[in-house]
Every structure is written in structure tokens, then in C-alpha cells.
Amino acid sequence: MLDINEIRKNSSGVITILAKRGEDFSDKIGQIKKMDSLWRSDLLEMEEIRREKNTVSEEIGKLKREGTDTSEIIAQMQEVSLREKEIKKKVDETRAAIDREMLMLPNLPEDSVTAGNKIVREEGEKKKYDFEVLPHWEAGKILKIIDFEKAAVLSGSQFPLLCGEGALLERALISFMLDVHIEQHGYLEIMPPYLVREESMIGSGQFPKFSEESYVTVKDGLSLIPTAEVPLVNMVRETILSADELPLKYTAFTSCFRREAGSYGQDTKGLIRNHQFNKVELVNITTREDSSRAHSELLAESEKILKLLQLPYRVLELGSDDMGFAAAKTYDLEVWMPGEKKWREVSSCSNCLDFQARRINARYRTAEGEINYAHTLNSSGLAVGRIFAAIVENFQTGEINVKIPEVLQPYMKGRKIIKRPDSTG
RNA sequence: GGAGGGAUGGCCGAGCGGCUUAAGGCGACGGUUUCGAAAACCGUUGUGUCCUUUGGGCACCGUAGGUUCAAAUCCUACUCCCUCCGCCA
């Protein structure tokens, strides 16, 4: 949520910055501003009435104790009380309308962020192949480690089903990623719930705007998490942290669930865009002074996984028109897929500044006793299914076997290669 | 799913509808004392919001309504936690 003071003080500035997202918010901001000044004048009136009520009520108590007749003054106060009720209703309604609108406004992109994605750098080397690398879904089928037909029978299209060494590879990747973040980057591992309340989805910014994207249970109205960012960020809901315990660094492996409404027909093959996928997520909660440093660190931590897996990738700085709702600045990591011959996003590393913290009321107290909103950051560390696909393509051999990257071998019971079941060698 | 019990400040814990702007204790912080410390004593001790901001007002006792001139206190609904029974990985 944006700071309403910014809209009061400099609404045209807010409109200009939001316009970088490619949407015109001038009507909405104007409306909010109008409602806000109405709210404030009504609030003033209501508080004046309450002040009168409080003093007179106290007076009545005294008079009654003295045995004085108070029926006249009570009759007067009945009128006042009625008036208070009316104006309170109006104040509450206006406030609710303001909040509704405020929740629909996306975060302000940072000054440095402009339209259009920028390639920051490329890391690792694309291997040369003296054969045609198959896309992972074809190789996966031959290797009998992915079975989309079975998945479709169970759940419909765009669900993954891994078997045998495929399932083992997925599990190995999860353990490997978690271990790196826990042991080398100082993260606390969390296993959060996959079903969360509506407030949690609002808190991290998925709701109310993107409710179409989520699976919601019929009886209890709980949402399946689209990312572990949701439970991890909400861990500090309604808390005042102490500055010296920051940054908090949380990591979690979870499955993620997305309806992908409106993206039918895109990436229909393979593990790239599924309704359910696995991800290891990183979330940092920190101070406003520290968040920029934390952002670079987070990016490096996500990159570390790609480096260790020896996958070629590039770093993108996302343009203001392409960033997520809650983000002020975002880097994407894209891995090279030699089978598809495409760069594919495997991590999105965002600084949300105090945008989410305002929604969940997460604050910290400085050594001087000042209370500020915390800053929240998140990064995929990484999207497991897409890395699975990247390995199947990047480490493919001419015989359509898949070599296991060295760092993963201990997690694969020492296996060095996944061989096609019909191979002779 | 059924039956009970509960929710008050950082924590514990009082609180017959008006003398509660929430008692008392613990903790924390500051001070007195001391060579220093402990103890003792004294003091301070939440969050938010609005305004005409050296100041003032309003709100907050799980949440939302209601009754009343007046609600932590009475009524209704809900949420969460605990105990037990049943079912269950």
C-alpha cells in the first residue's frame, strides 16, 4: 500500500510515477484525494461530538451520585448520540472506500526504473552441441521421467507428473538449493502452510487485484499459495521488530499454485508454465537503510545456485511496465534453454520497500526508539521445475541421456547420469 | 463433527455500567545511594490517527455489530487459542 500522505502532498507526482507502469491512475488518485478530504472533515466533526459526549457523560455520573435530576441533560445527549451515530457511519464508509481503492494501487517504481527490460549481464557459457538438443518435454518423455499424459488424466492440462529418477532429480534440486541458502547464506528454513487466509493474500499484494489467479477452497475460502512469498512475508504481520534483529532471512520450499487465467495457449508444453510447480523462495525483512544492500545480496544468493549448477544465465533489470504489483525494483534471472533455444525466467528478485509492510503492518523500532515500516524483499532461489528443464536440456548428451551436475550428485545417491531406459550403454 | 473453558498493555494479572484518562506485580529504562555492584527507594514505560502541533482531541481491553446519556464490564454474531470425546495421515 502506498503512503496516503504522498497522495495528499503530491498527487500529481504519484500519478506521474505510476504512469511508468503503463496505466493512467489520475482518476483513481483524484477520487482518493477527494474522499480523503471528506473523510478528514467528517472525522473532525465526529471527534468534536465525541469530546462533548465524553465530558457531559462524566458530568452526568457526578450529578447522579449527588442525587441531582439529570433527565433533561440526558434527553439532550440522546440527540447528540444520534448525530454521532450518523456521522460515524459516514466516516466508516468513506474510510472503507478509501482503503479499497488504496489496495488496488500498485507500488511506485524506483526512480532508476524506466520502461523496457535491460540486460544487465550474461554469466556462464552456452555449451556447443554437435547434435540437436531436444526440448525437455521430449527428452523427459523418452527418459520416462516426466509424464504429462498421466498428469492430464488426473488433473487436466498443465500439471506436472515426475517419475523415477525425475522425481529424484526434483527432490535433489530442492534439497540442494535449501542447503546452500541455509548453510552458506544464513537463512532460516520454514515449512509454511500451503493454504492461507484472504488477509495474507492481501498482505503480500496478490489480492484484491489478482484474485482470478488463485485457487480458493470452496468451503473455507482459503487460497492455495501462488508462491511461498505469501506465508513468509506474512510471518511478520502486525509485529514491531527490533532493528538489531534485522535482517530476517527466511527460505522455504513449497509447491506453488497458479490458475494462469488468461495465459492459455502460452507455453503449453513442458514444465515452463504449470498450474502447480515447486519453488524455493527467499524472503528478507529488513530496515529501509538496508534494503538496497539486501537486494543486491539476494540477487547474488539466487545467482549462486545457477553458478553452482553451471547453467548459463543472464540478469535482467525489469522495466517499470513489466514489474509485479508490489515491486519497486526487480531483477529477473533467465536461464538458457538449448532445446527450446530460449531464455527462460527462473527467478524474480524484487525489493518491495515498505509496500507490503504497510499492508501487513510490519514495523521495526530503531535504537533511537523510532518506529518505521519494515522493508520486504523476495527472490526465487529458484524455480525448481524450470531448473529441472534447464538441466535436462543443458546436460543432454547425443544419446539423449542427462548428465547430473556435480553438486547434485550427492543428492542423487551418487548417480552421475540419467539414462534412457532403452539404452544399451 | 460433539462438549466445555478462555482471549485485558512487552509479560503476568485485577477489574459491582459512571470516583478506571485499566489496579497491582514482573520486566525494561533513567535517577538517588555506592569505590563499583546488588538490594532499597524515587521516577518513566503501548499503538494509531486527526487538528488551528512548545499544545490539544479522538480511538484501541480478540473482531464486528447492538443496548445506554455513559461499555473492558450487558446482549448478539464471528474469529482464534486451550481441554476432553469421536474420526483421521
Side-chain angles (χ1 to χ4, degrees), chain A residues 161-420:
Chain A
L161 189 153
L162 305 176
C163 26
E165 289 175 313
L168 178 61
L169 176 59
E170 182 89 355
R171 192 149 52 89
L173 280 167
I174 293 163
S175 297
F176 162 69
M177 290 177 191
L178 283 173
D179 282 355
V180 171
H181 296 310
I182 295 160
E183 289 160 14
Q184 299 182 33
H185 302 150
Y187 278 84
L188 179 67
E189 183 181 1
I190 306 292
M191 278 215 182
Y194 284 20
L195 289 165
V196 297
R197 302 163 171 283
E198 190 185 13
E199 297 95 275
S200 298
M201 294 291 276
I202 291 172
S204 43
Q206 276 72 26
F207 283 7
K209 197 159 186 190
F210 302 101
S211 45
E212 281 305 301
E213 265 300 297
S214 297
Y215 293 98
V216 180
T217 66
V218 175
K219 289 199 175 169
D220 303 297
L222 294 168
S223 298
L224 272 163
I225 54 172
T227 160
E229 175 195 343
V230 176
L232 293 184
V233 165
N234 277 281
M235 279 178 69
V236 293
R237 165 182 288 278
E238 297 293 339
T239 52
I240 301 179
L241 301 150
S242 163
D244 55 27
E245 63 184 310
L246 301 176
L248 294 176
K249 299 177 81 173
Y250 295 139
T251 186
F253 148 69
T254 67
S255 295
C256 303
F257 304 88
R258 300 184 183 179
R259 292 189 63 234
E260 299 292 353
S263 63
Y264 291 110
Q266 277 180 50
D267 307 320
T268 51
K269 287 184 174 166
L271 296 166
I272 301 303
R273 190 175 300 279
N274 290 166
H275 292 307
Q276 176 183 331
F277 61 95
N278 294 321
K279 184 156 60 74
V280 170
E281 183 74 4
L282 307 173
V283 162
N284 285 11
I285 316 287
T286 192
T287 63
R288 58 190 186 190
E289 290 77 20
D290 184 50
S291 80
S292 166
R293 181 208 60 82
H295 197 196
S296 319
E297 182 178 275
L298 206 44
L299 178 64
E301 287 164 352
S302 292
E303 284 187 64
K304 183 71 176 286
I305 301 292
L306 289 165
K307 284 182 176 153
L308 288 169
L309 290 172
Q310 295 180 294
L311 290 167
Y313 67 94
R314 63 182 189 180
V315 183
L316 259 55
E317 193 181 313
L318 284 196
S320 48
D321 45 345
D322 209 21
M323 278 195 317
F325 184 75
K329 179 165 183 160
T330 299
Y331 297 104
D332 268 11
L333 297 179
E334 294 187 333
V335 73
W336 177 248
M337 301 281 191
E340 284 194 274
K341 297 188 175 56
K342 275 182 185 167
W343 294 99
R344 286 297 194 179
E345 177 190 338
V346 291
S347 180
S348 196
C349 177
S350 299
N351 190 350
C352 300
L353 307 179
D354 62 5
F355 184 85
Q356 291 175 321
R358 285 177 188 280
R359 290 176 162 238
I360 60 176
N361 202 23
R363 294 164 294 170
Y364 66 93
R365 198 190 306 271
T366 65
E368 293 76 38
E370 201 182 325
I371 290 175
N372 296 321
Y373 283 107
H375 279 201
T376 62
L377 304 95
N378 64 81
S379 184
S380 336
L382 306 158
V384 180
R386 289 184 180 181
I387 293 297
F388 181 111
I391 287 172
V392 169
E393 296 189 13
N394 280 279
F395 291 88
Q396 211 175 99
T397 68
E399 299 78 41
I400 319 179
N401 299 326
V402 173
K403 287 192 254 175
I404 307 295
E406 225 168 280
V407 289
L408 279 185
Q409 289 172 12
Y411 294 92
M412 291 285 289
K413 328 251 176 225
R415 282 175 179 74
K416 291 186 167 58
I417 194 162
I418 296 176
K419 285 193 176 175
R420 49 196 291 182

Side-chain angles (χ1 to χ4, degrees), chain A residues 151-165:
Chain A
V153 170
L154 307 177
S155 308
S157 73
Q158 304 308 109
F159 281 91
L161 189 153
L162 305 176
C163 26
E165 289 175 313

Side-chain angles (χ1 to χ4, degrees), chain A residues 135-142 146 148 269-272 340 393:
Chain A
H136 67 274
W137 58 90
E138 286 179 20
K141 190 171 179 178
I142 292 165
I146 313 176
F148 283 107
K269 287 184 174 166
L271 296 166
I272 301 303
E340 284 194 274
E393 296 189 13

